[in-house]
Coordinates of all heavy atoms in Angstrom, one line a residue:
M21 N 31.9 14.1 148.5 CA 32.5 12.9 148.3 C 34.0 13.1 148.0 O 34.4 14.0 147.2 CB 31.9 12.1 147.1 CG 32.5 10.8 146.8 SD 32.1 10.0 145.3 CE 30.4 9.8 145.3
T22 N 34.9 12.3 148.6 CA 36.3 12.5 148.4 C 36.8 11.5 147.4 O 36.4 10.3 147.4 CB 37.1 12.4 149.7 OG1 36.8 11.1 150.3 CG2 36.9 13.5 150.6
E23 N 37.7 11.9 146.5 CA 38.3 11.0 145.6 C 39.4 10.2 146.2 O 40.1 10.8 147.0 CB 38.9 11.8 144.4 CG 37.8 12.4 143.5 CD 38.4 13.0 142.3 OE1 39.4 12.6 141.8 OE2 37.8 14.1 141.8
S24 N 39.6 9.0 145.9 CA 40.7 8.2 146.4 C 42.0 8.7 145.7 O 42.0 8.9 144.5 CB 40.5 6.7 146.2 OG 40.4 6.4 144.9
L25 N 43.0 8.8 146.5 CA 44.3 9.3 146.0 C 45.1 8.1 145.5 O 45.3 7.1 146.2 CB 45.1 10.0 147.1 CG 46.4 10.6 146.7 CD1 46.2 11.7 145.6 CD2 47.0 11.3 147.9
I26 N 45.4 8.1 144.2 CA 46.3 7.0 143.6 C 47.7 7.5 143.6 O 48.0 8.6 143.0 CB 45.8 6.7 142.2 CG1 44.4 6.1 142.3 CG2 46.7 5.7 141.6 CD1 43.8 5.8 140.9
E27 N 48.6 6.8 144.3 CA 50.0 7.2 144.3 C 50.8 6.1 143.7 O 50.6 4.9 143.8 CB 50.4 7.4 145.8 CG 49.7 8.6 146.4 CD 50.3 9.0 147.7 OE1 51.5 8.8 147.8 OE2 49.6 9.6 148.5
P28 N 51.9 6.6 143.0 CA 52.8 5.6 142.4 C 53.5 4.8 143.5 O 53.6 5.2 144.7 CB 53.9 6.5 141.8 CG 53.2 7.8 141.5 CD 52.2 8.0 142.7
I29 N 53.8 3.6 143.2 CA 54.4 2.6 144.1 C 55.8 2.2 143.6 O 56.0 2.0 142.5 CB 53.5 1.5 144.3 CG1 53.7 0.8 145.7 CG2 53.6 0.4 143.3 CD1 52.5 0.7 146.4
T30 N 56.8 2.3 144.5 CA 58.2 1.9 144.2 C 58.5 0.6 145.0 O 58.2 0.5 146.1 CB 59.1 3.0 144.6 OG1 58.7 4.2 143.9 CG2 60.6 2.7 144.2
V31 N 59.2 -0.3 144.3 CA 59.6 -1.5 144.8 C 61.1 -1.6 144.8 O 61.7 -1.2 143.8 CB 59.0 -2.7 144.1 CG1 59.5 -4.1 144.6 CG2 57.5 -2.7 144.1
A32 N 61.8 -2.0 145.9 CA 63.2 -2.2 145.9 C 63.5 -3.7 146.1 O 62.9 -4.3 147.0 CB 63.8 -1.4 147.0
I33 N 64.4 -4.2 145.3 CA 64.8 -5.6 145.4 C 66.3 -5.7 145.4 O 67.0 -4.8 145.0 CB 64.3 -6.5 144.3 CG1 64.8 -6.1 143.0 CG2 62.8 -6.5 144.3 CD1 64.5 -7.1 141.9
E34 N 66.9 -6.8 146.0 CA 68.3 -7.0 146.0 C 68.5 -8.4 145.4 O 67.7 -9.3 145.6 CB 68.8 -7.1 147.4 CG 68.6 -5.8 148.2 CD 69.1 -5.9 149.6 OE1 69.4 -7.0 150.1 OE2 69.1 -4.9 150.3
R35 N 69.6 -8.5 144.6 CA 70.0 -9.8 144.1 C 71.5 -10.0 144.2 O 72.3 -9.0 144.1 CB 69.7 -9.9 142.6 CG 68.3 -9.9 142.2 CD 67.6 -11.2 142.5 NE 66.3 -11.3 142.0 CZ 65.2 -11.0 142.7 NH1 65.3 -10.5 143.9 NH2 64.0 -11.1 142.1
R36 N 71.9 -11.2 144.5 CA 73.4 -11.5 144.5 C 73.6 -12.1 143.1 O 73.0 -13.1 142.7 CB 73.7 -12.6 145.5 CG 73.5 -12.1 146.9 CD 74.8 -11.5 147.4 NE 74.6 -11.0 148.8 CZ 75.4 -10.1 149.4 NH1 76.4 -9.6 148.7 NH2 75.1 -9.7 150.6
I37 N 74.6 -11.5 142.4 CA 74.9 -11.9 141.0 C 76.2 -12.6 141.0 O 77.2 -12.1 141.5 CB 74.9 -10.6 140.1 CG1 73.6 -9.9 140.1 CG2 75.3 -11.0 138.7 CD1 72.4 -10.6 139.6
D38 N 76.2 -13.8 140.4 CA 77.4 -14.6 140.2 C 78.4 -13.7 139.5 O 78.2 -13.3 138.3 CB 77.1 -15.8 139.4 CG 78.3 -16.7 139.1 OD1 79.4 -16.3 139.2 OD2 78.1 -17.9 138.8
P39 N 79.6 -13.4 140.1 CA 80.6 -12.5 139.5 C 81.1 -13.0 138.2 O 81.6 -12.3 137.4 CB 81.6 -12.4 140.5 CG 81.4 -13.4 141.6 CD 80.0 -13.9 141.4
T40 N 81.0 -14.3 137.9 CA 81.5 -14.9 136.7 C 80.5 -14.7 135.5 O 80.8 -15.1 134.4 CB 81.9 -16.4 136.8 OG1 80.8 -17.1 137.1 CG2 82.9 -16.6 137.9
R41 N 79.3 -14.3 135.9 CA 78.2 -14.2 134.9 C 77.6 -12.8 134.8 O 76.4 -12.6 134.5 CB 77.2 -15.2 135.2 CG 77.8 -16.6 135.1 CD 76.9 -17.7 135.4 NE 75.9 -18.0 134.3 CZ 75.0 -18.9 134.4 NH1 74.9 -19.7 135.4 NH2 74.2 -19.1 133.4
V42 N 78.4 -11.8 135.1 CA 77.9 -10.4 135.1 C 77.3 -10.0 133.8 O 76.3 -9.3 133.7 CB 78.9 -9.4 135.7 CG1 78.5 -8.0 135.5 CG2 79.2 -9.7 137.2
L43 N 78.0 -10.3 132.7 CA 77.6 -9.9 131.4 C 76.2 -10.5 131.1 O 75.3 -9.8 130.6 CB 78.6 -10.4 130.3 CG 79.3 -9.3 129.7 CD1 80.7 -9.7 129.2 CD2 78.6 -8.7 128.5
E44 N 76.0 -11.8 131.4 CA 74.8 -12.5 131.2 C 73.7 -11.8 132.1 O 72.6 -11.6 131.7 CB 74.9 -14.0 131.5 CG 73.7 -14.8 131.3 CD 74.0 -16.3 131.5 OE1 75.1 -16.6 132.0 OE2 73.0 -17.0 131.4
A45 N 74.1 -11.5 133.3 CA 73.1 -10.9 134.3 C 72.7 -9.6 133.8 O 71.5 -9.2 134.0 CB 73.7 -10.9 135.7
T46 N 73.6 -8.7 133.3 CA 73.2 -7.4 132.9 C 72.2 -7.5 131.7 O 71.3 -6.7 131.6 CB 74.4 -6.5 132.6 OG1 75.2 -7.1 131.7 CG2 75.1 -6.1 133.9
S47 N 72.4 -8.4 130.8 CA 71.5 -8.6 129.7 C 70.1 -9.1 130.3 O 69.1 -8.7 129.8 CB 72.0 -9.7 128.7 OG 73.1 -9.2 128.1
W48 N 70.1 -10.0 131.2 CA 68.9 -10.4 131.9 C 68.2 -9.3 132.6 O 67.0 -9.2 132.4 CB 69.3 -11.5 132.9 CG 68.2 -12.0 133.8 CD1 67.2 -12.9 133.4 CD2 67.9 -11.6 135.1 NE1 66.3 -13.1 134.5 CE2 66.8 -12.3 135.6 CE3 68.6 -10.8 136.1 CZ2 66.3 -12.2 136.9 CZ3 68.1 -10.7 137.3 CH2 67.0 -11.4 137.7
M49 N 68.9 -8.4 133.2 CA 68.3 -7.2 133.9 C 67.6 -6.4 132.9 O 66.5 -5.9 133.1 CB 69.4 -6.4 134.6 CG 70.0 -7.1 135.8 SD 71.4 -6.1 136.4 CE 72.2 -7.4 137.4
Q50 N 68.3 -6.1 131.7 CA 67.7 -5.3 130.7 C 66.5 -5.9 130.1 O 65.5 -5.3 129.8 CB 68.7 -5.0 129.6 CG 68.2 -4.0 128.6 CD 67.8 -2.6 129.2 OE1 68.7 -2.0 129.9 NE2 66.6 -2.2 129.0
A51 N 66.5 -7.2 129.9 CA 65.3 -8.0 129.4 C 64.1 -7.8 130.3 O 63.0 -7.6 129.9 CB 65.6 -9.4 129.2
G52 N 64.3 -7.9 131.6 CA 63.3 -7.7 132.6 C 62.7 -6.3 132.5 O 61.5 -6.1 132.6
T53 N 63.6 -5.3 132.4 CA 63.1 -3.9 132.3 C 62.3 -3.7 131.1 O 61.3 -3.1 131.1 CB 64.3 -3.0 132.3 OG1 65.1 -3.1 133.6 CG2 63.9 -1.5 132.2
D54 N 62.8 -4.3 129.9 CA 62.1 -4.1 128.7 C 60.7 -4.8 128.8 O 59.7 -4.2 128.2 CB 62.9 -4.8 127.5 CG 64.1 -4.0 127.2 OD1 64.3 -2.9 127.7 OD2 65.0 -4.6 126.5
M55 N 60.6 -5.9 129.4 CA 59.3 -6.6 129.6 C 58.4 -5.7 130.4 O 57.2 -5.5 130.1 CB 59.5 -8.0 130.2 CG 59.7 -9.1 129.2 SD 59.6 -10.6 130.1 CE 61.3 -11.0 130.2
A56 N 58.9 -5.3 131.6 CA 58.0 -4.4 132.5 C 57.6 -3.2 131.8 O 56.4 -2.7 132.0 CB 58.8 -4.1 133.7
A57 N 58.4 -2.6 130.9 CA 58.1 -1.4 130.2 C 56.8 -1.5 129.3 O 56.2 -0.5 129.0 CB 59.3 -0.9 129.4
N58 N 56.5 -2.8 128.9 CA 55.4 -3.0 128.1 C 54.1 -3.1 128.9 O 53.0 -3.3 128.3 CB 55.6 -4.3 127.3 CG 56.6 -4.1 126.1 OD1 56.5 -3.1 125.4 ND2 57.6 -5.0 126.1
F59 N 54.2 -3.1 130.2 CA 53.0 -3.1 131.0 C 52.5 -1.8 131.3 O 53.2 -0.8 131.6 CB 53.3 -3.9 132.3 CG 53.3 -5.4 132.2 CD1 54.3 -6.0 131.5 CD2 52.2 -6.1 132.7 CE1 54.2 -7.4 131.4 CE2 52.2 -7.5 132.6 CZ 53.2 -8.1 131.9
D60 N 51.1 -1.6 131.3 CA 50.5 -0.4 131.6 C 50.9 0.0 133.0 O 50.9 -0.8 133.9 CB 48.9 -0.6 131.5 CG 48.2 0.7 131.8 OD1 48.6 1.7 131.2 OD2 47.2 0.7 132.5
G61 N 51.2 1.3 133.2 CA 51.5 1.9 134.5 C 52.9 1.9 134.9 O 53.3 2.4 135.9
F62 N 53.8 1.3 134.0 CA 55.2 1.2 134.3 C 55.8 2.6 134.2 O 55.6 3.3 133.2 CB 56.0 0.3 133.3 CG 57.4 0.2 133.5 CD1 58.0 -0.5 134.6 CD2 58.3 0.9 132.7 CE1 59.3 -0.6 134.8 CE2 59.7 0.8 132.9 CZ 60.2 0.0 133.9
L63 N 56.5 3.1 135.3 CA 57.1 4.4 135.3 C 58.6 4.5 135.2 O 59.2 5.5 135.0 CB 56.6 5.1 136.6 CG 55.1 5.3 136.7 CD1 54.8 6.0 138.1 CD2 54.6 6.2 135.6
G64 N 59.2 3.3 135.3 CA 60.7 3.3 135.2 C 61.4 2.4 136.2 O 60.7 1.9 137.1
S65 N 62.7 2.1 136.0 CA 63.4 1.3 136.8 C 64.9 1.5 136.7 O 65.3 2.2 135.7 CB 63.1 -0.2 136.5 OG 63.6 -0.5 135.3
G66 N 65.7 0.9 137.6 CA 67.1 1.0 137.4 C 67.8 0.1 138.3 O 67.3 -0.3 139.4
W67 N 69.0 -0.4 137.9 CA 69.8 -1.3 138.7 C 71.1 -0.6 139.1 O 71.7 0.2 138.3 CB 70.3 -2.5 137.8 CG 69.2 -3.5 137.5 CD1 68.3 -3.5 136.5 CD2 68.9 -4.7 138.3 NE1 67.5 -4.6 136.6 CE2 67.8 -5.3 137.7 CE3 69.5 -5.2 139.5 CZ2 67.3 -6.5 138.2 CZ3 68.9 -6.4 139.9 CH2 67.9 -7.0 139.3
V68 N 71.6 -0.8 140.3 CA 72.9 -0.3 140.7 C 73.6 -1.4 141.5 O 73.0 -2.2 142.2 CB 72.8 1.0 141.5 CG1 72.3 2.2 140.7 CG2 72.0 0.8 142.8
R69 N 74.9 -1.4 141.3 CA 75.8 -2.3 142.1 C 76.2 -1.7 143.4 O 76.4 -0.5 143.5 CB 77.0 -2.6 141.2 CG 77.8 -3.8 141.5 CD 78.8 -4.0 140.5 NE 79.5 -5.2 140.6 CZ 80.4 -5.6 139.8 NH1 80.7 -5.0 138.7 NH2 81.0 -6.8 140.0
A70 N 76.3 -2.5 144.4 CA 76.6 -2.0 145.8 C 78.0 -1.4 145.8 O 78.2 -0.4 146.5 CB 76.5 -3.1 146.8
G71 N 78.9 -1.9 145.0 CA 80.2 -1.3 144.9 C 81.1 -2.1 144.0 O 80.7 -3.2 143.6
E72 N 82.2 -1.5 143.7 CA 83.1 -2.2 142.8 C 83.5 -3.6 143.4 O 83.9 -3.6 144.5 CB 84.4 -1.4 142.5 CG 85.2 -1.9 141.4 CD 86.4 -0.9 141.1 OE1 86.3 0.2 141.4 OE2 87.3 -1.4 140.5
G73 N 83.4 -4.6 142.6 CA 83.8 -5.9 143.1 C 82.7 -6.6 143.9 O 82.8 -7.8 144.3
S74 N 81.6 -5.9 144.2 CA 80.5 -6.5 145.0 C 79.6 -7.4 144.1 O 79.4 -7.1 142.9 CB 79.7 -5.4 145.6 OG 78.6 -6.0 146.3
D75 N 79.1 -8.4 144.7 CA 78.1 -9.2 143.9 C 76.7 -8.8 144.2 O 75.7 -9.4 143.7 CB 78.3 -10.7 144.2 CG 77.9 -11.1 145.6 OD1 77.8 -10.2 146.5 OD2 77.7 -12.3 145.9
L76 N 76.5 -7.8 145.1 CA 75.2 -7.3 145.5 C 74.7 -6.2 144.5 O 75.4 -5.2 144.3 CB 75.2 -6.8 146.9 CG 73.9 -6.4 147.5 CD1 72.8 -7.5 147.5 CD2 74.1 -5.9 148.9
W77 N 73.5 -6.4 144.0 CA 72.9 -5.4 143.1 C 71.6 -5.0 143.6 O 70.9 -5.9 144.2 CB 72.7 -6.0 141.7 CG 74.0 -6.3 140.9 CD1 74.9 -7.2 141.2 CD2 74.5 -5.6 139.8 NE1 76.0 -7.2 140.3 CE2 75.7 -6.2 139.4 CE3 74.0 -4.6 139.0 CZ2 76.4 -5.8 138.3 CZ3 74.7 -4.1 137.9 CH2 75.9 -4.8 137.6
F78 N 71.2 -3.8 143.4 CA 69.9 -3.3 143.9 C 69.1 -2.8 142.7 O 69.6 -2.3 141.7 CB 70.0 -2.1 144.8 CG 70.8 -2.4 146.0 CD1 72.2 -2.1 146.1 CD2 70.3 -2.9 147.1 CE1 73.0 -2.3 147.2 CE2 71.0 -3.2 148.3 CZ 72.4 -2.9 148.3
M79 N 67.8 -3.1 142.7 CA 66.9 -2.6 141.7 C 65.7 -1.9 142.3 O 65.2 -2.3 143.3 CB 66.4 -3.7 140.8 CG 65.5 -3.2 139.7 SD 64.5 -4.5 139.0 CE 64.0 -3.7 137.5
L80 N 65.4 -0.8 141.6 CA 64.1 -0.1 142.0 C 63.2 -0.1 140.7 O 63.7 0.0 139.6 CB 64.4 1.4 142.3 CG 65.2 1.7 143.6 CD1 65.4 3.2 143.7 CD2 64.4 1.2 144.8
Y81 N 62.0 -0.4 140.9 CA 61.0 -0.2 139.8 C 59.8 0.5 140.3 O 59.4 0.3 141.5 CB 60.8 -1.5 139.0 CG 60.3 -2.7 139.8 CD1 58.9 -2.9 139.8 CD2 61.1 -3.5 140.4 CE1 58.4 -4.1 140.4 CE2 60.6 -4.7 141.0 CZ 59.3 -4.9 141.1 OH 58.8 -6.0 141.7
R82 N 59.1 1.2 139.5 CA 58.0 2.0 139.9 C 56.8 1.8 138.9 O 57.0 1.8 137.7 CB 58.4 3.5 139.9 CG 57.5 4.4 140.6 CD 58.3 5.7 140.9 NE 57.5 6.8 141.3 CZ 57.2 7.0 142.6 NH1 57.7 6.2 143.5 NH2 56.5 8.1 142.9
F83 N 55.6 1.8 139.5 CA 54.4 1.7 138.7 C 53.4 2.7 139.2 O 53.5 3.3 140.3 CB 53.7 0.3 138.9 CG 54.3 -0.8 138.0 CD1 55.5 -1.4 138.3 CD2 53.7 -1.1 136.8 CE1 56.1 -2.3 137.4 CE2 54.3 -2.0 135.9 CZ 55.5 -2.6 136.2
R84 N 52.5 3.0 138.4 CA 51.5 4.1 138.6 C 50.7 3.9 139.9 O 50.4 4.8 140.6 CB 50.5 4.2 137.4 CG 49.5 5.3 137.6 CD 48.5 5.3 136.4 NE 47.8 4.1 136.2 CZ 47.8 3.4 135.0 NH1 48.3 4.0 134.0 NH2 47.2 2.3 134.9
D85 N 50.4 2.6 140.2 CA 49.6 2.3 141.4 C 49.7 0.8 141.7 O 50.3 0.1 141.0 CB 48.1 2.7 141.1 CG 47.5 2.1 139.9 OD1 47.9 1.0 139.5 OD2 46.7 2.8 139.2
I86 N 49.1 0.4 142.8 CA 49.2 -0.9 143.2 C 48.6 -1.9 142.2 O 49.1 -3.0 142.0 CB 48.6 -1.1 144.7 CG1 49.0 -2.5 145.2 CG2 47.1 -0.9 144.7 CD1 50.4 -2.6 145.6
E87 N 47.5 -1.5 141.6 CA 46.9 -2.4 140.6 C 47.8 -2.7 139.4 O 47.9 -3.9 139.0 CB 45.6 -1.7 140.1 CG 44.8 -2.6 139.1 CD 43.5 -1.9 138.7 OE1 42.9 -1.1 139.4 OE2 43.1 -2.2 137.5
T88 N 48.4 -1.7 138.9 CA 49.3 -2.0 137.7 C 50.6 -2.7 138.2 O 51.1 -3.6 137.4 CB 49.7 -0.7 137.0 OG1 50.3 0.3 137.9 CG2 48.4 0.0 136.3
L89 N 51.0 -2.4 139.4 CA 52.2 -3.2 139.9 C 51.8 -4.7 140.0 O 52.6 -5.6 139.6 CB 52.6 -2.6 141.3 CG 53.6 -3.5 142.0 CD1 54.9 -3.5 141.3 CD2 53.8 -3.0 143.5
E90 N 50.7 -5.0 140.6 CA 50.2 -6.4 140.8 C 50.1 -7.1 139.5 O 50.4 -8.3 139.4 CB 49.0 -6.4 141.6 CG 49.2 -6.1 143.1 CD 47.9 -6.0 143.9 OE1 46.8 -6.0 143.3 OE2 48.1 -6.0 145.1
K91 N 49.6 -6.4 138.4 CA 49.5 -7.0 137.1 C 50.9 -7.5 136.6 O 51.1 -8.6 136.0 CB 48.8 -6.1 136.1 CG 47.4 -6.0 136.3 CD 46.7 -5.1 135.3 CE 45.2 -5.1 135.7 NZ 44.5 -4.1 134.8
W92 N 51.9 -6.7 136.8 CA 53.3 -7.0 136.5 C 53.8 -8.2 137.3 O 54.3 -9.2 136.9 CB 54.2 -5.8 136.5 CG 55.7 -6.2 136.6 CD1 56.5 -6.0 137.6 CD2 56.5 -6.9 135.6 NE1 57.8 -6.5 137.4 CE2 57.8 -7.0 136.1 CE3 56.2 -7.3 134.3 CZ2 58.8 -7.6 135.4 CZ3 57.2 -7.9 133.6 CH2 58.5 -8.1 134.1
E93 N 53.6 -8.0 138.6 CA 54.2 -9.0 139.6 C 53.5 -10.4 139.5 O 54.1 -11.4 139.9 CB 54.1 -8.5 141.0 CG 55.1 -7.3 141.2 CD 55.4 -7.0 142.6 OE1 54.5 -7.2 143.5 OE2 56.5 -6.5 142.9
T94 N 52.3 -10.5 139.0 CA 51.6 -11.8 138.8 C 51.6 -12.3 137.4 O 51.0 -13.3 137.1 CB 50.2 -11.7 139.4 OG1 49.5 -10.7 138.7 CG2 50.2 -11.3 140.9
S95 N 52.3 -11.6 136.5 CA 52.3 -11.9 135.1 C 53.1 -13.2 134.8 O 54.2 -13.4 135.4 CB 52.8 -10.8 134.3 OG 54.2 -10.6 134.4
P96 N 52.7 -13.9 133.8 CA 53.6 -15.1 133.4 C 54.9 -14.6 132.8 O 55.9 -15.3 132.9 CB 52.7 -15.7 132.3 CG 51.5 -14.9 132.1 CD 51.5 -13.9 133.1
Q97 N 54.9 -13.4 132.2 CA 56.2 -12.8 131.7 C 57.2 -12.7 132.8 O 58.4 -13.0 132.7 CB 56.0 -11.5 131.0 CG 55.1 -11.6 129.7 CD 53.7 -11.4 130.0 OE1 53.1 -11.7 131.0 NE2 53.0 -10.8 129.0
R98 N 56.8 -12.1 133.9 CA 57.7 -11.9 135.0 C 58.1 -13.2 135.6 O 59.3 -13.4 136.0 CB 57.0 -11.0 136.1 CG 58.0 -10.7 137.3 CD 57.4 -9.7 138.3 NE 58.2 -9.4 139.4 CZ 58.2 -10.1 140.5 NH1 57.4 -11.1 140.7 NH2 59.1 -9.8 141.5
T99 N 57.2 -14.1 135.8 CA 57.6 -15.5 136.3 C 58.7 -16.1 135.4 O 59.7 -16.6 135.9 CB 56.3 -16.4 136.4 OG1 55.4 -15.8 137.3 CG2 56.7 -17.8 136.9
W100 N 58.4 -16.1 134.1 CA 59.4 -16.6 133.2 C 60.8 -15.9 133.3 O 61.8 -16.6 133.4 CB 58.9 -16.5 131.7 CG 60.0 -16.9 130.8 CD1 60.3 -18.2 130.3 CD2 61.0 -16.1 130.2 NE1 61.4 -18.2 129.5 CE2 61.8 -16.9 129.4 CE3 61.3 -14.7 130.2 CZ2 62.9 -16.4 128.7 CZ3 62.3 -14.2 129.5 CH2 63.1 -15.0 128.7
W101 N 60.7 -14.6 133.4 CA 62.0 -13.8 133.5 C 62.7 -14.2 134.8 O 63.9 -14.4 134.8 CB 61.6 -12.3 133.5 CG 62.8 -11.4 133.7 CD1 63.9 -11.3 132.9 CD2 63.1 -10.7 134.9 NE1 64.8 -10.4 133.5 CE2 64.3 -10.0 134.7 CE3 62.3 -10.4 136.1 CZ2 64.8 -9.2 135.7 CZ3 62.9 -9.6 137.0 CH2 64.1 -9.0 136.8
L102 N 62.0 -14.2 135.9 CA 62.7 -14.6 137.2 C 63.3 -16.0 137.1 O 64.4 -16.2 137.6 CB 61.7 -14.5 138.4 CG 61.3 -13.1 138.8 CD1 60.2 -13.1 139.8 CD2 62.5 -12.3 139.3
D103 N 62.6 -16.9 136.6 CA 63.1 -18.3 136.5 C 64.3 -18.4 135.6 O 65.2 -19.1 135.9 CB 62.0 -19.2 135.9 CG 60.9 -19.5 136.9 OD1 61.0 -19.3 138.1 OD2 59.8 -20.0 136.5
S104 N 64.3 -17.6 134.5 CA 65.5 -17.6 133.6 C 66.7 -17.0 134.3 O 67.8 -17.4 133.8 CB 65.1 -16.8 132.3 OG 65.1 -15.4 132.6
G105 N 66.6 -16.3 135.3 CA 67.8 -15.7 136.0 C 68.3 -16.5 137.2 O 69.3 -16.2 137.7
R106 N 67.6 -17.5 137.6 CA 67.9 -18.2 138.8 C 69.3 -18.8 138.8 O 70.0 -18.9 139.8 CB 66.9 -19.3 139.1 CG 65.6 -18.7 139.5 CD 64.6 -19.6 140.3 NE 63.3 -19.1 140.3 CZ 62.9 -18.0 140.9 NH1 63.7 -17.3 141.7 NH2 61.6 -17.7 140.9
P107 N 69.9 -19.2 137.7 CA 71.2 -19.8 137.7 C 72.3 -18.8 138.1 O 73.4 -19.2 138.5 CB 71.5 -20.3 136.2 CG 70.1 -20.5 135.7 CD 69.2 -19.4 136.4
F108 N 72.1 -17.5 138.0 CA 73.1 -16.5 138.3 C 72.7 -15.3 139.1 O 73.5 -14.5 139.5 CB 73.7 -16.0 137.0 CG 72.7 -15.5 136.0 CD1 72.2 -14.2 136.1 CD2 72.3 -16.3 134.9 CE1 71.2 -13.8 135.2 CE2 71.4 -15.9 134.0 CZ 70.8 -14.6 134.1
A109 N 71.4 -15.2 139.4 CA 70.8 -14.1 140.2 C 70.1 -14.7 141.4 O 69.0 -15.2 141.2 CB 69.9 -13.2 139.3
R110 N 70.7 -14.6 142.6 CA 70.0 -15.2 143.8 C 69.4 -14.1 144.6 O 69.9 -13.0 144.8 CB 71.1 -15.9 144.6 CG 70.7 -16.6 145.8 CD 71.8 -17.4 146.4 NE 73.1 -16.7 146.6 CZ 73.4 -15.9 147.6 NH1 72.5 -15.7 148.6 NH2 74.5 -15.3 147.7
E111 N 68.1 -14.4 145.0 CA 67.4 -13.4 145.9 C 68.1 -13.3 147.2 O 68.6 -14.3 147.7 CB 66.0 -13.9 146.1 CG 65.1 -13.7 144.8 CD 63.7 -14.0 145.1 OE1 63.1 -13.6 146.1 OE2 63.1 -14.7 144.2
V112 N 68.1 -12.1 147.8 CA 68.8 -11.9 149.1 C 67.7 -12.0 150.1 O 66.6 -11.6 150.0 CB 69.4 -10.5 149.1 CG1 70.0 -10.2 150.4 CG2 70.5 -10.4 148.0

């Protein structure tokens, strides 16, 4: 019998951040990371800006497996967090 191989999963997202609200947005980004870190299987994340003066930001986050990722992605915490950022963080 072969064991199923569980592999970590990485998600990449892009957001356009209102340049007049970068301070608010970076606090929002940290809040999302802090929330995700409380979920089983969270392995880490990071945000990077496309370049100086750019409103495009990229985020990577990683979970132990698809099951733990889906628990985060379907959680009420994540839904609340995404909704709270809509005024200044637009999905690309």
Side-chain angles (χ1 to χ4, degrees):
M21 182 192 301
T22 53
E23 290 184 33
S24 63
L25 184 59
I26 296 175
E27 294 196 24
I29 205 126
T30 303
V31 177
I33 62 169
E34 299 175 353
R35 293 285 187 271
R36 294 271 179 201
I37 301 297
D38 179 339
T40 66
R41 297 176 78 178
V42 169
L43 252 151
E44 186 177 0
T46 53
S47 293
W48 173 77
M49 292 172 197
Q50 186 60 54
T53 299
D54 292 347
M55 271 190 258
N58 287 311
F59 277 73
D60 185 44
F62 179 76
L63 299 176
S65 68
W67 286 89
V68 293
R69 197 172 186 174
E72 191 174 340
S74 175
D75 69 343
L76 183 60
W77 292 69
F78 301 96
M79 180 196 197
L80 294 175
Y81 58 95
R82 192 164 172 88
F83 277 80
R84 179 181 58 230
D85 52 35
I86 193 72
E87 183 181 331
T88 57
L89 171 66
E90 287 174 347
K91 285 181 182 173
W92 162 246
E93 290 194 333
T94 60
S95 71
Q97 294 93 325
R98 182 174 180 267
T99 299
W100 173 86
W101 174 71
L102 288 174
D103 288 344
S104 71
R106 292 199 197 291
F108 51 82
R110 184 173 45 86
E111 290 186 45
V112 177

